[in-house]
Amino acid sequence: MDIMLVGGVSPMMRKLSLKLYKEGHKIYVLSGSRNPSNHFEYAFERYDFPYDNASVEEVFRSVKPDVTILLGAFDGNLSGEDPKREAIQYAAGLQNILLSWSALEKGRLIYLSSAEVYGSSYQIPVTEAVRPVPRGIRPLMLFQGEESCRFYQVQLKKDVVILRLDRLHEVPKDRREADLGICERKCLDAFQDSTVTYRSNYKYGLTYMGDAVESIYKLVSCERHKYVLYHISSSEAYSELQIADAIEKYLGKELEKIDNTLEDQKSVILSHERLKEEFGFEIWCEPEETIRKTLQYMEKHSGRFLDSSHPGWDIWHRIYFKTIDFLGALVPYIENLILFIPFFMLNNRATGSQYFSKIDFYLIYVLLFAVVHGQRQATFSALLATAGYLFRQMYNQSGLTVVTDYNTYVWIAEIFIVGLVVGYMKDQLKFMQEEKEQEVDFLSERVTDIGNINDSNLRVKEGLITQVVNYDYSLGTVYDLAEQLEKDHPSKILFHAITLIRDVMDCQDVALYRISDEKYARFFGYTSAKAGSMGHTVYLPDKEPLYEAFSRREVYLNRTMNPEYPMMAYCIYEEEKMETIILLWSIPFERMTIDESNRLIVISKLIQKAVKRSSDYLDLLQKQRYQDESPALREEAFEELISTYHEAGEKNLTEYYLLRVVSAASGMEKAAGIIAERLYQTDYIGYRNDGNLYILLTSTDESGCGFVQKNLEQTGIHTVISEEMGL
């Protein structure tokens, strides 16, 4: 296939080119730069045009690539020196590339993005369904690139693939490449200064670059693919502390490890389940192996990673670097001496010439070095010119006559004055230029800092606005909550409460458990599969952080971001007894505040009040609801209960099974009592309008239903799942 790679020189470009070359594909490169010194290995043809150049369309029309790969996040042209300018230029260039490619009416386009587009922290691996919230200029630029590519896929039905790559690790070849990866950068710091910093609450899904390239090639060579977006990642969490420990292990000496842990947590690990399910994914190199090879390479090629001033060099290397520096300082003076020779010869030739005798070649020589190199070289060239002038005058006069001649001193003064003045002006211009560049750099840094501060202020502002809006919203909603719960049928209160908690707390993953036997929590309802991840029955003492918070009657906040626990939770008490547990699973870390905790407590108190009212009401109607002294509900009460669970099941708030009692060895009159002894407190027995005895198993899946049926069969009671209400 003919494959077009769009991007500058980078490790990804090198690895990807090598892979495609080995597979026998013809590689074309659009470098995005006019620098001819950039070396692209294995490229059949290269085109050195900026991305926004009009010739890009001609390049695509000429090559007609089967696959075009935009390096995006791994483009060597994006150095990061001036992010705003680069972002503007890249956005314009990307549109030009996409327009040129779309005109071909053939081929596949692959855009390489990265995990940088996710600005928040996530407690579990991030799937493709999670929409990024980019923070910063570069992440926003990459996300805009994704959206631009997605437009051509959605609107023009083009074959587009967007690949988000997690943090990559690879053995760097020099200092510049070592700055590109988290592992490599910390290896360089440790190798240079025997010091490494870490933030213990920062985790990454480190992925070997070779593994990423293999996955990219699968998308290059496949005939078809199911999705537009894929994540490429090892999906294995690796903390900065683990990186520091591995570096210390393989460097073979004790490091000074500096803990820079901040309060905010940063954990963005991409999930590769979609890619793995469709194409497969294998890990060939772990981060520790890369760290080991990187440190070995740095020791073997230390000159590529250490500068001449580094204190770690031995005496011979120091002498070598001092010699190189000394010779480098002598180069301008050697250049001056070499160029003095032709000017000396020209001056001697011109002295007796009719046409050139009036030309002062020494003055030209001094002016040349004053203009090019400044005052220091002008002084040196003036000394050489003076020596040459005196030497030439001594051809016809004695040395004493020459040094006492008034014209000699006038000429010397002329040479030095002109040379020093021009050299001084050159030095001043150079100083002003450097000062201007420093000022521009300083102002650019200030602009960047102001931008970062502005982003931070915007986040704070958004948080405060959200807090105010939610506060106003909560006042109205809390009032509605109280009104609606008061009007609800007693059997529907808790189901209604689940949806109200979801809306008021702005959390899509809410679960509600009822406490039975003091320490066991029985599943009641949920709003999503994630909310029910803790299981149908939970032994609370095993969940120590939750149990301790509930015992203190406090809101549990998952500040360690442990994926096994919800982000927030609260237990509703009835006098001194635990009654109901509310679990919130998808609250963002920045919303785990006192304000949110207080809101959850207020809502819980209102729910408690409504539940207590309904419980008292049902106690008063107990004789009307139950069949004589039997634990079975009468037809009307049981039908209302079934209707409630059926409605909740249709809204995906719970799951239940309805069993019909077919026969009982002890007789139907005694069957209800036997059944009640073998059910949970949250299950119900009752009669329906057809006169048959039924069992309502709440918050139960298929396996739980089967277990109950087998248990009842051992007592001689046979049941079948009701076709009308069974899930």
Side-chain angles (χ1 to χ4, degrees):
M1 290 193 296
D2 294 335
I3 298 178
M4 173 77 79
L5 298 180
V6 181
V9 176
S10 67
M12 176 59 78
M13 172 68 81
R14 187 169 61 246
K15 283 279 187 180
L16 201 52
S17 300
L18 177 60
K19 174 64 179 178
L20 296 172
Y21 178 78
K22 287 183 176 179
E23 296 294 337
H25 301 292
K26 190 178 292 184
I27 304 169
Y28 299 83
V29 174
L30 177 60
S31 67
S33 171
R34 294 190 181 278
N35 187 358
S37 63
N38 291 336
H39 181 57
F40 295 91
E41 295 180 307
Y42 315 113
F44 177 76
E45 187 62 63
R46 57 181 285 180
Y47 301 93
D48 294 328
F49 298 110
Y51 298 146
D52 56 356
N53 193 285
S55 300
V56 170
E57 184 178 359
E58 295 296 329
V59 171
F60 275 93
R61 189 181 297 123
S62 174
V63 176
K64 295 181 179 179
D66 299 298
V67 178
T68 300
I69 303 177
L70 306 181
L71 266 69
F74 306 93
D75 192 334
N77 296 316
L78 302 177
S79 62
E81 295 179 357
D82 190 348
K84 288 188 177 180
R85 180 180 58 82
E86 288 179 357
I88 294 171
Q89 291 179 349
Y90 186 77
L94 180 61
Q95 294 301 324
N96 187 36
I97 292 170
L98 292 174
L99 286 170
S100 302
W101 169 77
S102 63
L104 297 178
E105 299 294 338
K106 64 166 290 188
R108 175 178 299 160
L109 181 104
I110 299 176
Y111 178 78
L112 303 186
S113 184
S114 79
E116 297 174 64
V117 297
Y118 290 102
S120 301
S121 183
Y122 302 85
Q123 58 180 331
I124 60 176
V126 184
T127 65
E128 290 82 354
V130 178
R131 183 172 177 83
V133 183
R135 301 203 183 275
I137 297 175
R138 177 178 165 86
L140 185 59
M141 175 191 70
L142 297 177
F143 182 63
Q144 287 177 339
E146 291 183 14
E147 293 298 297
S148 297
C149 295
R150 195 187 299 274
F151 172 83
Y152 284 83
Q153 187 274 330
V154 174
Q155 300 297 330
L156 304 182
K157 307 303 179 184
K158 297 291 185 179
D159 187 359
V160 174
V161 181
I162 300 170
L163 301 178
R164 288 193 192 126
L165 279 65
D166 221 324
R167 303 272 184 167
L168 302 182
H169 59 89
E170 170 67 355
V171 178
K173 303 303 178 185
D174 51 35
R175 289 171 58 93
R176 184 183 63 83
E177 290 188 10
D179 286 332
L180 300 178
I182 183 70
C183 283
E184 299 89 322
R185 187 162 57 248
K186 292 190 180 299
C187 284
L188 180 62
D189 293 340
F191 184 69
Q192 288 181 328
D193 307 320
S194 297
T195 301
V196 62
T197 61
Y198 69 90
R199 292 165 292 188
S200 58
N201 56 355
Y202 272 49
K203 295 181 180 180
Y204 311 98
L206 297 178
T207 306
Y208 180 53
M209 185 176 290
D211 297 339
V213 169
E214 290 293 331
S215 297
I216 295 172
Y217 182 72
K218 291 176 182 178
L219 271 301
V220 170
S221 58
C222 70
E223 293 184 3
R224 60 183 62 87
H225 51 90
K226 295 181 181 178
Y227 304 98
V228 177
L229 175 63
Y230 295 89
H231 285 175
I232 297 179
S233 171
S234 65
S235 295
E236 295 181 358
Y238 214 81
S239 68
E240 290 191 3
L241 180 58
Q242 288 177 280
I243 297 174
D245 291 340
I247 293 173
E248 186 176 49
K249 174 183 176 182
Y250 292 111
L251 194 59
K253 62 180 180 180
E254 186 175 353
L255 298 177
E256 182 184 357
K257 292 186 284 188
I258 302 174
D259 187 355
N260 285 342
T261 303
L262 303 175
E263 291 184 1
D264 61 321
Q265 177 167 346
K266 186 68 173 178
S267 177
V268 179
I269 302 168
L270 303 183
S271 171
H272 64 198
E273 290 303 318
R274 176 182 289 184
L275 179 73
K276 186 176 182 180
E277 180 182 351
E278 186 173 350
F279 298 103
F281 183 86
E282 295 183 6
I283 299 175
W284 293 99
C285 183
E286 296 287 350
E288 285 197 3
E289 181 66 15
T290 297
I291 290 172
R292 183 183 65 82
K293 292 180 179 179
T294 298
L295 293 173
Q296 289 179 349
Y297 187 86
M298 287 181 174
E299 290 177 354
K300 187 176 180 180
H301 303 87
S302 54
R304 301 182 182 181
F305 300 94
L306 301 178
D307 53 30
S308 59
S309 61
H310 193 272
W313 290 114
D314 55 36
I315 184 64
W316 299 110
H317 277 94
R318 293 183 186 179
I319 293 174
Y320 169 77
F321 286 122
K322 291 293 184 183
T323 304
I324 293 297
D325 292 340
F326 178 72
L327 292 177
L330 285 180
V331 167
Y333 295 96
I334 296 173
E335 176 189 4
N336 205 327
L337 281 170
I338 293 173
L339 287 178
F340 171 72
I341 296 173
F343 277 98
F344 176 76
M345 296 174 63
L346 285 172
N347 184 74
N348 287 345
R349 296 282 183 178
T351 300
S353 172
Q354 179 180 356
Y355 301 102
F356 298 103
S357 59
K358 300 298 181 180
I359 299 177
D360 193 339
F361 285 97
Y362 285 132
L363 180 61
I364 297 174
Y365 162 67
V366 172
L367 283 174
L368 176 64
F369 276 90
V371 169
V372 175
H373 291 292
Q375 194 173 20
R376 185 176 298 177
Q377 289 295 312
T379 302
F380 184 67
S381 60
L383 290 173
L384 292 177
T386 300
Y389 176 83
L390 294 176
F391 183 77
R392 180 65 184 84
Q393 293 299 318
M394 290 180 185
Y395 281 4
N396 303 320
Q397 305 177 48
S398 66
L400 182 62
T401 304
V402 171
V403 297
T404 56
D405 187 0
Y406 172 78
N407 293 325
T408 299
Y409 291 100
V410 171
W411 184 88
I412 292 175
E414 175 188 314
I415 286 290
F416 272 92
I417 290 172
V418 172
L420 291 177
V421 170
V422 174
Y424 175 77
M425 293 175 63
K426 169 63 179 179
D427 288 344
Q428 285 298 110
L429 289 173
K430 184 177 181 181
F431 174 75
M432 291 172 62
Q433 183 178 3
E434 291 177 351
E435 190 177 39
K436 180 182 177 181
E437 291 175 355
Q438 290 176 359
E439 184 177 1
V440 170
D441 292 340
F442 172 74
L443 292 176
S444 298
E445 291 179 0
R446 289 293 302 274
V447 169
T448 302
D449 293 340
I450 292 172
N452 294 335
I453 294 171
N454 183 58
D455 291 340
S456 177
N457 290 340
L458 286 176
R459 289 196 294 271
V460 173
K461 178 184 176 183
E462 290 171 1
L464 292 174
I465 291 174
T466 302
Q467 183 175 342
V468 172
V469 170
N470 287 345
Y471 180 75
D472 294 337
Y473 173 72
S474 66
L475 288 177
T477 304
V478 166
Y479 177 78
D480 291 341
L481 173 62
E483 290 291 320
Q484 293 173 19
L485 290 180
E486 290 292 332
K487 296 176 182 178
D488 274 339
H489 189 277
S491 61
K492 297 182 179 180
I493 287 178
L494 286 179
F495 287 122
H496 196 179
I498 294 174
T499 58
L500 287 172
I501 293 170
R502 178 190 62 192
D503 297 337
V504 174
M505 297 300 296
D506 191 20
C507 176
Q508 298 304 311
D509 305 308
V510 180
L512 192 146
Y513 284 76
R514 300 300 303 275
I515 304 297
S516 62
D517 299 331
E518 296 184 355
K519 295 183 179 180
Y520 285 91
R522 179 68 180 164
F523 202 35
F524 181 83
Y526 57 88
T527 60
S528 68
K530 179 181 178 181
S533 60
M534 194 170 284
H536 285 77
T537 303
V538 178
Y539 183 59
L540 290 177
D542 286 345
K543 308 296 182 181
E544 187 175 347
L546 285 175
Y547 192 61
E548 289 182 356
F550 296 161
S551 299
R552 296 192 300 267
R553 300 195 180 193
E554 297 176 353
V555 175
Y556 167 76
L557 298 176
N558 187 0
R559 298 195 183 279
T560 60
M561 306 294 285
N562 189 332
E564 296 181 3
Y565 294 97
M567 297 303 292
M568 293 179 67
Y570 186 68
C571 180
I572 300 175
Y573 275 78
E574 178 60 35
E575 295 180 352
E576 297 300 322
K577 184 180 178 182
M578 293 183 184
E579 288 287 340
T580 307
I581 296 175
I582 299 172
L583 306 181
L584 307 179
W585 286 84
S586 56
I587 295 290
F589 185 82
E590 58 269 19
R591 283 184 52 206
M592 294 168 61
T593 61
I594 296 176
D595 179 68
E596 296 289 332
S597 301
N598 291 337
R599 186 183 306 166
L600 179 58
I601 293 173
V602 170
I603 297 171
S604 301
K605 296 294 184 183
L606 288 172
I607 294 172
Q608 177 190 20
K609 180 181 177 182
V611 171
K612 181 66 167 59
R613 177 191 60 81
S614 66
S615 179
D616 293 341
Y617 174 75
L618 293 177
D619 287 342
L620 292 174
L621 298 178
Q622 184 171 4
K623 291 183 179 181
Q624 300 178 19
R625 289 169 51 83
Y626 286 91
Q627 188 83 18
D628 299 329
E629 299 298 327
S630 171
L633 291 167
R634 294 180 184 273
E635 291 88 343
E636 183 179 355
F638 196 61
E639 289 290 353
E640 287 181 354
L641 198 60
I642 291 175
S643 177
T644 298
Y645 273 88
H646 182 65
E647 182 180 345
E650 288 184 336
K651 294 179 180 178
N652 295 321
L653 295 178
T654 189
E655 51 185 338
Y656 70 97
Y657 274 85
L658 184 64
L659 302 180
R660 180 168 58 86
V661 179
V662 179
S663 62
S666 59
M668 287 297 182
E669 295 180 358
K670 296 181 180 180
I674 297 173
I675 293 171
E677 294 176 355
R678 285 162 174 78
L679 298 181
Y680 289 107
Q681 294 178 1
T682 54
D683 299 330
Y684 301 92
I685 311 167
Y687 291 93
R688 299 197 65 190
N689 295 330
D690 58 6
N692 290 318
L693 183 64
Y694 286 82
I695 305 171
L696 180 61
L697 302 178
T698 64
S699 303
T700 302
D701 56 15
E702 185 177 355
S703 62
C705 178
F707 175 78
V708 171
Q709 286 183 294
K710 290 180 180 179
N711 193 7
L712 292 176
E713 286 178 0
Q714 294 176 0
T715 64
I717 299 174
H718 299 279
T719 61
V720 294
I721 298 175
S722 173
E723 295 180 358
E724 180 183 355
M725 289 294 188
L727 291 179

